[in-house]
Amino acid sequence: MRHQRLPRTWTLRPLTEAPVDGPIPATVPGCVHTDLLAAGLIPDPYRDDNETRLGWIGRTDWAYEAVFHWEDTGERRVDLVCDGLDTIADIELNGVPVGSARNMHRRYRFDLAGALRPGENRITVRFSAPYGYAEHWRAELGDRPGAYDEPYPFIRKMACNFGWDWGPTLVTSGIWRPIGLAAWSVARLARVRPFAGAAGRVRVHVDVEREPGRDGPLEVTAEVAGVAGTAVLGPGESAAVVELRVPRARPWWPRGHGEQPRYALTVALRAPGPGAGSDARLDVWRGRIGFRDVHLDTGGGAFTLVVNDRPIFARGVNWIPDDCFPHRVDRARYAERLGQAAGAGANLVRVWGGGVYESGDLYDVCDELGLLVWQDFAFACAAYPEEGPFTAEVEAEARDNVARLVHHPSLVLWCGNNENLEGYRDWGWRERLQGRSWGAGFYHDVLPKVVAEVDPSRPYWPGTPYSGAPDLPPNDPARGTIHIWDVWNRREYGHYRSYRPRFVAEFGFQAPPAYATLRRALSDDPLTPDSPGMRHHQKAIDGNAKLAAGLRPYLTVPEDFDDWHYLCQVNQARAIRLGVEHFRAQWPRCAGAIVWQLNDCWPVTSWSMVDGDARRKPAWYALRRAFDPRLLTVQPRDTGLVLVAVNDTGEPWRTPVRAARCDFGGTVLAGHGLELGVPPRGTAEVALPAAVADPGDARRELLAVTAGDRRCLWFFAPDKDLELPAPDFAAVAEPVPDGARVTVTARGLLVDLALFPDRLDPAAEVDEQLVTLLPGESVTFLVRSPAPLDPEALVARPVLRCVNDVLAPGGPPR
């Protein structure tokens, strides 16, 4: 087997009327938008409202062309291997048609016989406009309801390309993954699917493609950890299984449950026997596997992932494409973003169905970090047609991606779709469809059959939310998975406490991105919540009104932009922490909380923990506390306040606990001590006595519960109703290598103290956020910055903030 990458440098030209001419320098992998941007022919799509002037790109036909040299070294078969074509593509080599593609989500392979020649070759890839293709099939098959008035259900393409409530409408075309040539003779490895269980047993399923007329015997050898096995394919056979057993194989565990050892697996294909080429290695596959078992416990309505016979609470984050142009997301970026997920305490990433099946780098990094992967199939928030070319494309796409990803131990669940079952049942789709297909055949027939055949080692779930059977209400908290979106859309976040779910696959709350992110992306002057750029980078329906509605029950809706920006971020952080703590306190009844969402694809006000410029919002720091393996939380019950301790470690947690009801001046009004014992992977709940749980004056008191180095606070009233003292503290900033150290000592109560060094240097970041200090307490923030920072500015508004400086009399911090 010989591989040759095609050149990175191509040319691009429009094939239909467009405001640009060709040829235009192009880069592969890439897309039209990034090529036009690099050529200076369009403005940055992420700045201001530039997006609105680029809709013509998705309505234009385009051609990519390149010239490459090919040396014939005697292989009998040469294939063009396309890892990703976006989306409606027709390919010519030296003027000869060699293949076509109609699906962004799958790989293609085309035989170049009769087209490829020794020496110079010219390849042309013509892309038809995505809008034209999708609108043709919409007219042909009849419209389908969806979340947005866009034709994305009628093309097998990244749905959020057509816009979402956190993303722009930037409809792409291009060669978005590598493209090259593969030359071979006799036979090649078409598919390798290793299944490695926790007991050290490996079954390696191998499918081969034979060169026509070459039906002789073949030999497949698999080797891992010094153990090898062989299977022989007889004449004409195309599939084999090699079984191995690795003594003392160490199991792969999710993050927080053990280590993540992986083992190198090599699979080789040979043609044994006499004659020329005997025993020659025809092809080889290499990958890394982990030994683990997984199943899904759904008994009694449960939805619990079980890995190596251990039930797992999923501390999860939802993943959307990290860029509207996904070819720009390389391994380093995956490592950074997934490292942020792990740093926040997550042990699971759900790859959402409105994006793409990510590159192997995402899953490989998750393997390394111990982040479980829940993988949606690529369907989201719409009724999808099953007629025309779509059923065949969906099956091919599913087979390709399931086989491609099967060796990753981090991958633990295949899910049929995002919110389509709920849409059909609860959003009025059934009446609008008038009997037309909507995707049920995909979720209940095609996809489960593909998973059962290609990857029987993992569970399949038809969609989320889903209660376990088609005739049940899909978003029932008592069964399966639910999404909670009445909070944010209609209710304040305290309503999370009304839920007793089995597994929450989506919930979230919005906030604007970091100030430096806004300043880079927007030219608004002045910057206000309703300035033109801010409005354009808020894609949620009535988003700013919902931000204001979320502030009113707890804080205030300030007129000053800096106050608005800070309080919105505080409110998002509190919403996420309240929801996560409430759901974790219900373990083992509730077995998962997947926050919407980890990341953004551009600079935008959204539900993300990490904004579009990779800056961590305050909510990220709150999530880190809420995802702490050992969590201490005060929860309200009908009978009063209780203390819940969650121990998601393998060791018992025994510690003395002190609960104190204090006034805002720090005076202890009542105290209570107890000994806390929590079993491994368990919870403990203790009622707090009235002396500490019932305030004398709810406006001037709080409850502090301390266990070792962990503390949780409970305020008896919303901040807006508290009589917070004016901010009173001493703050000192001193330079240290690569940044600064800022120490704040409270002379009075300080609520949600935060430091925003990105306002001074966009590259600066801080190690902690939203710290509440009682009188006499101190906190030290470590700031990393490549440039020196002004010490006085570091300890002044708007860099150093607390809730007191908005809600309490006395002005800003001093």
Side-chain angles (χ1 to χ4, degrees), residues 13 26 89 99 124 165 208 230 249 361 378 452 457 463 525 550 569 611 624 626 630 634 675 746 761 763 807:
R13 57 187 171 89
T124 303
D165 56 5
V208 302
T230 300
D361 287 332
S457 71
D525 186 18
Q569 292 197 330
D611 75 20
R624 182 173 62 180
R630 286 183 169 172
V634 174
E675 187 74 19
D761 180 354
L807 297 186

PDB file of all heavy atoms in Angstrom, residues 13 26 89 99 124 165 208 230 249 361 378 452 457 463 525 550 569 611 624 626 630 634 675 746 761 763 807:
ATOM      1  N   ARG A  13     -12.394  28.821  -7.981  1.00  0.00           N
ATOM      2  CA  ARG A  13     -13.082  29.797  -8.848  1.00  0.00           C
ATOM      3  C   ARG A  13     -14.586  29.564  -8.766  1.00  0.00           C
ATOM      4  O   ARG A  13     -15.039  28.420  -8.589  1.00  0.00           O
ATOM      5  CB  ARG A  13     -12.607  29.682 -10.295  1.00  0.00           C
ATOM      6  CG  ARG A  13     -12.782  28.318 -10.918  1.00  0.00           C
ATOM      7  CD  ARG A  13     -12.135  28.242 -12.303  1.00  0.00           C
ATOM      8  NE  ARG A  13     -12.113  26.881 -12.803  1.00  0.00           N
ATOM      9  CZ  ARG A  13     -13.089  26.326 -13.514  1.00  0.00           C
ATOM     10  NH1 ARG A  13     -14.176  27.037 -13.811  1.00  0.00           N
ATOM     11  NH2 ARG A  13     -12.992  25.076 -13.950  1.00  0.00           N
ATOM     12  N   ALA A  26      -6.144  28.693  -2.976  1.00  0.00           N
ATOM     13  CA  ALA A  26      -6.942  27.930  -2.024  1.00  0.00           C
ATOM     14  C   ALA A  26      -6.059  26.934  -1.294  1.00  0.00           C
ATOM     15  O   ALA A  26      -5.018  26.514  -1.807  1.00  0.00           O
ATOM     16  CB  ALA A  26      -8.078  27.203  -2.737  1.00  0.00           C
ATOM     17  N   ALA A  89     -20.458  17.275  -4.421  1.00  0.00           N
ATOM     18  CA  ALA A  89     -19.218  17.353  -5.183  1.00  0.00           C
ATOM     19  C   ALA A  89     -19.224  16.378  -6.352  1.00  0.00           C
ATOM     20  O   ALA A  89     -19.728  15.253  -6.248  1.00  0.00           O
ATOM     21  CB  ALA A  89     -18.033  17.038  -4.271  1.00  0.00           C
ATOM     22  N   GLY A  99     -15.970  10.360  -9.877  1.00  0.00           N
ATOM     23  CA  GLY A  99     -16.822  10.102  -8.729  1.00  0.00           C
ATOM     24  C   GLY A  99     -17.604  11.324  -8.311  1.00  0.00           C
ATOM     25  O   GLY A  99     -17.358  12.438  -8.779  1.00  0.00           O
ATOM     26  N   THR A 124     -10.068  18.239 -10.651  1.00  0.00           N
ATOM     27  CA  THR A 124     -11.072  19.290 -10.479  1.00  0.00           C
ATOM     28  C   THR A 124     -12.200  18.737  -9.620  1.00  0.00           C
ATOM     29  O   THR A 124     -12.738  17.663  -9.902  1.00  0.00           O
ATOM     30  CB  THR A 124     -11.644  19.737 -11.832  1.00  0.00           C
ATOM     31  OG1 THR A 124     -10.581  20.173 -12.667  1.00  0.00           O
ATOM     32  CG2 THR A 124     -12.646  20.863 -11.650  1.00  0.00           C
ATOM     33  N   ASP A 165     -29.155  28.966  17.425  1.00  0.00           N
ATOM     34  CA  ASP A 165     -29.390  30.039  18.388  1.00  0.00           C
ATOM     35  C   ASP A 165     -28.126  30.423  19.150  1.00  0.00           C
ATOM     36  O   ASP A 165     -28.170  31.164  20.118  1.00  0.00           O
ATOM     37  CB  ASP A 165     -30.529  29.696  19.358  1.00  0.00           C
ATOM     38  CG  ASP A 165     -30.333  28.407  20.117  1.00  0.00           C
ATOM     39  OD1 ASP A 165     -29.256  27.780  19.990  1.00  0.00           O
ATOM     40  OD2 ASP A 165     -31.270  28.007  20.837  1.00  0.00           O
ATOM     41  N   VAL A 208     -11.847  -7.073   4.096  1.00  0.00           N
ATOM     42  CA  VAL A 208     -10.876  -6.738   3.065  1.00  0.00           C
ATOM     43  C   VAL A 208     -11.587  -6.486   1.745  1.00  0.00           C
ATOM     44  O   VAL A 208     -12.684  -6.996   1.494  1.00  0.00           O
ATOM     45  CB  VAL A 208      -9.824  -7.856   2.889  1.00  0.00           C
ATOM     46  CG1 VAL A 208      -9.099  -8.115   4.191  1.00  0.00           C
ATOM     47  CG2 VAL A 208     -10.455  -9.125   2.348  1.00  0.00           C
ATOM     48  N   THR A 230      -3.548 -15.096  14.212  1.00  0.00           N
ATOM     49  CA  THR A 230      -3.672 -15.075  12.759  1.00  0.00           C
ATOM     50  C   THR A 230      -4.972 -15.725  12.334  1.00  0.00           C
ATOM     51  O   THR A 230      -5.436 -16.682  12.962  1.00  0.00           O
ATOM     52  CB  THR A 230      -2.487 -15.810  12.108  1.00  0.00           C
ATOM     53  OG1 THR A 230      -1.276 -15.162  12.486  1.00  0.00           O
ATOM     54  CG2 THR A 230      -2.594 -15.811  10.591  1.00  0.00           C
ATOM     55  N   ALA A 249      -4.053  -7.688  31.344  1.00  0.00           N
ATOM     56  CA  ALA A 249      -4.387  -6.409  30.708  1.00  0.00           C
ATOM     57  C   ALA A 249      -5.008  -5.473  31.744  1.00  0.00           C
ATOM     58  O   ALA A 249      -5.919  -5.857  32.484  1.00  0.00           O
ATOM     59  CB  ALA A 249      -5.350  -6.627  29.553  1.00  0.00           C
ATOM     60  N   ASP A 361      -8.901  12.864  16.175  1.00  0.00           N
ATOM     61  CA  ASP A 361      -8.140  13.508  17.248  1.00  0.00           C
ATOM     62  C   ASP A 361      -8.991  13.764  18.480  1.00  0.00           C
ATOM     63  O   ASP A 361      -8.514  13.634  19.612  1.00  0.00           O
ATOM     64  CB  ASP A 361      -7.542  14.820  16.752  1.00  0.00           C
ATOM     65  CG  ASP A 361      -6.385  14.611  15.795  1.00  0.00           C
ATOM     66  OD1 ASP A 361      -5.704  13.582  15.903  1.00  0.00           O
ATOM     67  OD2 ASP A 361      -6.165  15.481  14.932  1.00  0.00           O
ATOM     68  N   ALA A 378     -25.881  12.423  13.257  1.00  0.00           N
ATOM     69  CA  ALA A 378     -25.970  13.818  12.797  1.00  0.00           C
ATOM     70  C   ALA A 378     -27.397  14.196  12.390  1.00  0.00           C
ATOM     71  O   ALA A 378     -27.698  14.378  11.207  1.00  0.00           O
ATOM     72  CB  ALA A 378     -24.993  14.059  11.660  1.00  0.00           C
ATOM     73  N   ALA A 452     -25.894  -2.469  15.811  1.00  0.00           N
ATOM     74  CA  ALA A 452     -25.885  -3.883  16.207  1.00  0.00           C
ATOM     75  C   ALA A 452     -24.938  -4.697  15.343  1.00  0.00           C
ATOM     76  O   ALA A 452     -24.274  -5.626  15.819  1.00  0.00           O
ATOM     77  CB  ALA A 452     -27.294  -4.448  16.131  1.00  0.00           C
ATOM     78  N   SER A 457     -20.639  -3.747  20.652  1.00  0.00           N
ATOM     79  CA  SER A 457     -20.058  -3.598  21.987  1.00  0.00           C
ATOM     80  C   SER A 457     -20.613  -2.412  22.752  1.00  0.00           C
ATOM     81  O   SER A 457     -20.321  -2.261  23.936  1.00  0.00           O
ATOM     82  CB  SER A 457     -18.535  -3.443  21.875  1.00  0.00           C
ATOM     83  OG  SER A 457     -18.190  -2.175  21.330  1.00  0.00           O
ATOM     84  N   GLY A 463     -32.678   8.508  20.789  1.00  0.00           N
ATOM     85  CA  GLY A 463     -32.617   9.968  20.731  1.00  0.00           C
ATOM     86  C   GLY A 463     -32.612  10.540  22.125  1.00  0.00           C
ATOM     87  O   GLY A 463     -32.755   9.822  23.123  1.00  0.00           O
ATOM     88  N   ASP A 525     -19.316  51.315  19.459  1.00  0.00           N
ATOM     89  CA  ASP A 525     -18.816  52.383  20.322  1.00  0.00           C
ATOM     90  C   ASP A 525     -19.950  53.366  20.583  1.00  0.00           C
ATOM     91  O   ASP A 525     -20.345  54.116  19.686  1.00  0.00           O
ATOM     92  CB  ASP A 525     -17.630  53.080  19.661  1.00  0.00           C
ATOM     93  CG  ASP A 525     -16.966  54.103  20.591  1.00  0.00           C
ATOM     94  OD1 ASP A 525     -17.202  54.016  21.816  1.00  0.00           O
ATOM     95  OD2 ASP A 525     -16.222  54.960  20.086  1.00  0.00           O
ATOM     96  N   GLY A 550     -33.820  36.635  33.811  1.00  0.00           N
ATOM     97  CA  GLY A 550     -33.077  35.799  34.737  1.00  0.00           C
ATOM     98  C   GLY A 550     -32.404  36.568  35.846  1.00  0.00           C
ATOM     99  O   GLY A 550     -32.202  36.043  36.951  1.00  0.00           O
ATOM    100  N   GLN A 569     -22.765  37.293  33.884  1.00  0.00           N
ATOM    101  CA  GLN A 569     -21.849  36.166  34.054  1.00  0.00           C
ATOM    102  C   GLN A 569     -21.997  35.525  35.431  1.00  0.00           C
ATOM    103  O   GLN A 569     -21.928  34.295  35.569  1.00  0.00           O
ATOM    104  CB  GLN A 569     -20.414  36.624  33.808  1.00  0.00           C
ATOM    105  CG  GLN A 569     -20.160  37.008  32.352  1.00  0.00           C
ATOM    106  CD  GLN A 569     -18.688  37.070  32.003  1.00  0.00           C
ATOM    107  OE1 GLN A 569     -17.848  37.368  32.848  1.00  0.00           O
ATOM    108  NE2 GLN A 569     -18.374  36.789  30.746  1.00  0.00           N
ATOM    109  N   ASP A 611     -15.701  30.629  25.939  1.00  0.00           N
ATOM    110  CA  ASP A 611     -16.254  31.421  24.834  1.00  0.00           C
ATOM    111  C   ASP A 611     -15.532  31.153  23.517  1.00  0.00           C
ATOM    112  O   ASP A 611     -14.597  30.339  23.445  1.00  0.00           O
ATOM    113  CB  ASP A 611     -16.312  32.901  25.198  1.00  0.00           C
ATOM    114  CG  ASP A 611     -14.957  33.615  25.183  1.00  0.00           C
ATOM    115  OD1 ASP A 611     -14.000  33.122  24.553  1.00  0.00           O
ATOM    116  OD2 ASP A 611     -14.857  34.696  25.804  1.00  0.00           O
ATOM    117  N   ARG A 624     -16.487  23.906  37.854  1.00  0.00           N
ATOM    118  CA  ARG A 624     -15.387  23.166  38.494  1.00  0.00           C
ATOM    119  C   ARG A 624     -15.712  22.869  39.955  1.00  0.00           C
ATOM    120  O   ARG A 624     -15.432  21.770  40.446  1.00  0.00           O
ATOM    121  CB  ARG A 624     -14.086  23.967  38.383  1.00  0.00           C
ATOM    122  CG  ARG A 624     -12.880  23.261  38.964  1.00  0.00           C
ATOM    123  CD  ARG A 624     -11.591  24.014  38.685  1.00  0.00           C
ATOM    124  NE  ARG A 624     -11.565  25.334  39.292  1.00  0.00           N
ATOM    125  CZ  ARG A 624     -10.527  26.171  39.177  1.00  0.00           C
ATOM    126  NH1 ARG A 624      -9.471  25.826  38.459  1.00  0.00           N
ATOM    127  NH2 ARG A 624     -10.569  27.362  39.760  1.00  0.00           N
ATOM    128  N   ALA A 626     -18.839  22.700  41.196  1.00  0.00           N
ATOM    129  CA  ALA A 626     -19.995  21.812  41.234  1.00  0.00           C
ATOM    130  C   ALA A 626     -19.645  20.396  40.809  1.00  0.00           C
ATOM    131  O   ALA A 626     -20.314  19.434  41.221  1.00  0.00           O
ATOM    132  CB  ALA A 626     -21.105  22.364  40.336  1.00  0.00           C
ATOM    133  N   ARG A 630     -15.728  15.451  45.410  1.00  0.00           N
ATOM    134  CA  ARG A 630     -16.326  15.497  46.751  1.00  0.00           C
ATOM    135  C   ARG A 630     -17.036  16.846  46.897  1.00  0.00           C
ATOM    136  O   ARG A 630     -16.397  17.894  46.997  1.00  0.00           O
ATOM    137  CB  ARG A 630     -15.270  15.298  47.819  1.00  0.00           C
ATOM    138  CG  ARG A 630     -14.806  13.842  47.891  1.00  0.00           C
ATOM    139  CD  ARG A 630     -13.813  13.581  48.984  1.00  0.00           C
ATOM    140  NE  ARG A 630     -13.623  12.142  49.154  1.00  0.00           N
ATOM    141  CZ  ARG A 630     -12.694  11.588  49.932  1.00  0.00           C
ATOM    142  NH1 ARG A 630     -11.867  12.369  50.616  1.00  0.00           N
ATOM    143  NH2 ARG A 630     -12.593  10.274  50.022  1.00  0.00           N
ATOM    144  N   VAL A 634     -25.798  22.583  50.306  1.00  0.00           N
ATOM    145  CA  VAL A 634     -27.016  22.762  51.084  1.00  0.00           C
ATOM    146  C   VAL A 634     -28.189  22.765  50.114  1.00  0.00           C
ATOM    147  O   VAL A 634     -28.168  23.481  49.108  1.00  0.00           O
ATOM    148  CB  VAL A 634     -26.980  24.068  51.898  1.00  0.00           C
ATOM    149  CG1 VAL A 634     -28.325  24.319  52.581  1.00  0.00           C
ATOM    150  CG2 VAL A 634     -25.854  24.022  52.917  1.00  0.00           C
ATOM    151  N   GLU A 675     -20.380  14.682  62.596  1.00  0.00           N
ATOM    152  CA  GLU A 675     -19.390  13.848  61.931  1.00  0.00           C
ATOM    153  C   GLU A 675     -20.013  13.308  60.655  1.00  0.00           C
ATOM    154  O   GLU A 675     -21.091  12.694  60.697  1.00  0.00           O
ATOM    155  CB  GLU A 675     -18.943  12.701  62.838  1.00  0.00           C
ATOM    156  CG  GLU A 675     -17.798  11.879  62.294  1.00  0.00           C
ATOM    157  CD  GLU A 675     -16.462  12.593  62.372  1.00  0.00           C
ATOM    158  OE1 GLU A 675     -16.352  13.559  63.153  1.00  0.00           O
ATOM    159  OE2 GLU A 675     -15.536  12.192  61.645  1.00  0.00           O
ATOM    160  N   ALA A 746     -10.756  40.729  52.999  1.00  0.00           N
ATOM    161  CA  ALA A 746     -12.064  41.338  53.233  1.00  0.00           C
ATOM    162  C   ALA A 746     -12.139  41.939  54.633  1.00  0.00           C
ATOM    163  O   ALA A 746     -11.809  41.272  55.611  1.00  0.00           O
ATOM    164  CB  ALA A 746     -13.154  40.285  53.057  1.00  0.00           C
ATOM    165  N   ASP A 761      -5.157  43.008  29.423  1.00  0.00           N
ATOM    166  CA  ASP A 761      -4.376  42.319  28.403  1.00  0.00           C
ATOM    167  C   ASP A 761      -5.218  41.145  27.905  1.00  0.00           C
ATOM    168  O   ASP A 761      -5.560  40.258  28.688  1.00  0.00           O
ATOM    169  CB  ASP A 761      -3.054  41.813  28.989  1.00  0.00           C
ATOM    170  CG  ASP A 761      -2.202  41.081  27.961  1.00  0.00           C
ATOM    171  OD1 ASP A 761      -2.672  40.866  26.822  1.00  0.00           O
ATOM    172  OD2 ASP A 761      -1.062  40.715  28.296  1.00  0.00           O
ATOM    173  N   ALA A 763      -4.537  38.534  26.535  1.00  0.00           N
ATOM    174  CA  ALA A 763      -3.926  37.223  26.744  1.00  0.00           C
ATOM    175  C   ALA A 763      -3.891  36.817  28.210  1.00  0.00           C
ATOM    176  O   ALA A 763      -3.479  35.702  28.535  1.00  0.00           O
ATOM    177  CB  ALA A 763      -2.512  37.211  26.178  1.00  0.00           C
ATOM    178  N   LEU A 807     -24.892  46.200  44.164  1.00  0.00           N
ATOM    179  CA  LEU A 807     -26.139  46.193  44.927  1.00  0.00           C
ATOM    180  C   LEU A 807     -26.058  46.919  46.253  1.00  0.00           C
ATOM    181  O   LEU A 807     -27.098  47.251  46.829  1.00  0.00           O
ATOM    182  CB  LEU A 807     -26.580  44.744  45.187  1.00  0.00           C
ATOM    183  CG  LEU A 807     -26.910  43.906  43.948  1.00  0.00           C
ATOM    184  CD1 LEU A 807     -27.466  42.557  44.375  1.00  0.00           C
ATOM    185  CD2 LEU A 807     -27.908  44.616  43.056  1.00  0.00           C
TER     186      LEU A 807
END
